[in-house]
Amino acid sequence: MLYQEKMQWNEKPNEQMLSCFVYRNYRPDFVYHWHTYFEILYIIKNMTTITLNGRSHICKQGDIVFIPAMVLHSLSCANNEPLENLILQFNKNLLEQGLSDLI
């Protein structure tokens, strides 16, 4: 897939367990893609259309979306307004190591 090959070439799940970034004033048009990370998307401002496995969902300000690893998904503007989203990506090692520390 183009996204996997071109946009996530520096994805290093064994080295980096967590990525967190706030995207401000942007208009995403991320075509169907997948990655090895789990993803949590928090809608800070305006509305985002998220398509998961062929089903589209319009998410509004305050919504939280969990996208499992290896699931086809896409993101785009639900209206013509720029978005503000927080995107948190993490791999299974974070969960495994974090949970083992709790035990």
Side-chain angles (χ1 to χ4, degrees), residues 48-89:
T48 304
T49 298
I50 299 174
T51 304
L52 297 167
N53 288 328
R55 293 188 62 204
S56 293
H57 309 273
I58 295 180
C59 302
K60 62 185 184 327
Q61 183 174 332
D63 287 349
I64 297 174
V65 179
F66 175 76
I67 303 170
M70 312 301 280
V71 169
L72 281 173
H73 61 284
S74 67
L75 279 79
S76 61
C77 291
N79 55 24
N80 216 12
E81 299 296 320
L83 304 174
E84 186 171 333
N85 294 336
L86 180 139
I87 297 178
L88 177 70
Q89 294 180 321

Side-chain angles (χ1 to χ4, degrees), residues 95-103:
L95 296 177
E96 291 170 352
Q97 289 179 5
L99 292 177
S100 67
D101 289 345
L102 290 175
I103 296 171

Side-chain angles (χ1 to χ4, degrees), residues 7 10 78:
M7 298 185 74
N10 62 353

Side-chain angles (χ1 to χ4, degrees), residues 3-15:
Y3 185 85
Q4 189 74 7
E5 292 172 7
K6 302 287 183 190
M7 298 185 74
Q8 292 194 311
W9 59 270
N10 62 353
E11 180 180 293
K12 298 175 184 171
N14 292 330
E15 297 174 24

